Amino acid sequence: MRRGKSRAEDPRMLRSVETEIIEGVPTPVAHSWAHQTTVDLVRLQIGPRQRELGLRAGSGDLALPGTGDRYVPDLAVVPRELAKAKGALLPDQTVLVVEVTSPSNGDTDRTVKRRRYAQFGAPLYLLVDRQERACTLFSQPGTLGYTRVEGPHPFGIPVRLPEPFELDLDTTEF
């Protein structure tokens, strides 16, 4: 009699899992199709402007020196020449960082990552909060946090991405 595969052995059940280190704790990250679709919608909208500016987008590691933390943002936009780096980049080397919340990590994206991205100089942090159904853009980073906050804007309301993008992000399908 042939035995069926367990969920762990069945390749249809496997999900891509990455690990972040948040506040010193290794944290596995696995995203649903709905989550990835939201990231893709952002990527598609910023893509033409990103290419005009010589930027690249991906989800490579961002290191936070002196903390031992390492984040894997849902999307980070960086200068083309930095996108070829073999190791992690720093938040202040990004042009834009995007995090899309999931039920398991929403509070981390809303508080811990927002504070750390500001502390380490990420110039723009877009939080797409799928649970609250709203987007918030944080800018002008400082050691105590971001000094400028645009939102939260309910899904369906465009979010203006400032310089260097200068575009309105359509959030209708988020």
Side-chain angles (χ1 to χ4, degrees):
M1 184 168 151
R2 189 171 166 204
R3 203 176 108 221
K5 294 181 182 180
S6 73
R7 283 181 64 97
E9 296 170 326
D10 187 341
R12 294 173 299 161
M13 299 296 161
L14 296 178
R15 292 167 46 178
S16 172
V17 177
E18 299 177 39
T19 301
E20 296 183 300
I21 301 174
I22 301 172
E23 301 294 297
V25 178
T27 307
V29 179
H31 298 299
S32 69
W33 275 102
H35 183 103
Q36 289 299 331
T37 296
T38 303
V39 174
D40 191 49
L41 289 168
V42 173
R43 184 189 299 261
L44 288 170
Q45 289 183 65
I46 66 172
R49 184 70 178 132
Q50 164 200 308
R51 285 187 294 282
E52 288 173 14
L53 295 167
L55 303 171
R56 296 291 181 260
S59 61
D61 292 355
L62 295 178
L64 291 92
T67 68
D69 287 357
R70 183 176 295 258
Y71 295 169
V72 180
D74 290 309
L75 189 66
V77 180
V78 301
R80 176 182 19 231
E81 61 275 6
L82 294 179
K84 296 177 183 180
K86 292 185 182 187
L89 296 177
L90 304 175
D92 67 359
Q93 294 176 300
T94 67
V95 177
L96 169 68
V97 174
V98 179
E99 293 285 2
V100 176
T101 65
S102 293
S104 64
N105 73 356
D107 289 337
T108 300
D109 289 346
R110 289 181 201 104
T111 57
V112 176
K113 286 187 175 183
R114 181 186 75 210
R115 179 175 41 88
R116 289 297 203 179
Y117 284 138
Q119 181 182 9
F120 285 88
L124 297 172
Y125 175 44
L126 178 64
L127 176 66
V128 180
D129 194 323
R130 292 179 52 238
Q131 287 65 52
E132 297 294 324
R133 303 200 40 79
C135 294
T136 306
L137 181 68
F138 300 91
S139 60
Q140 300 177 0
T143 56
L144 298 177
Y146 285 100
T147 60
R148 185 165 185 169
V149 179
E150 300 288 330
H153 300 289
F155 288 175
I157 302 295
V159 174
R160 180 74 178 166
L161 293 182
E163 195 177 306
F165 297 99
E166 299 295 338
L167 65 85
D168 292 326
L169 193 64
D170 180 359
T171 65
T172 305
E173 291 186 61
F174 289 4

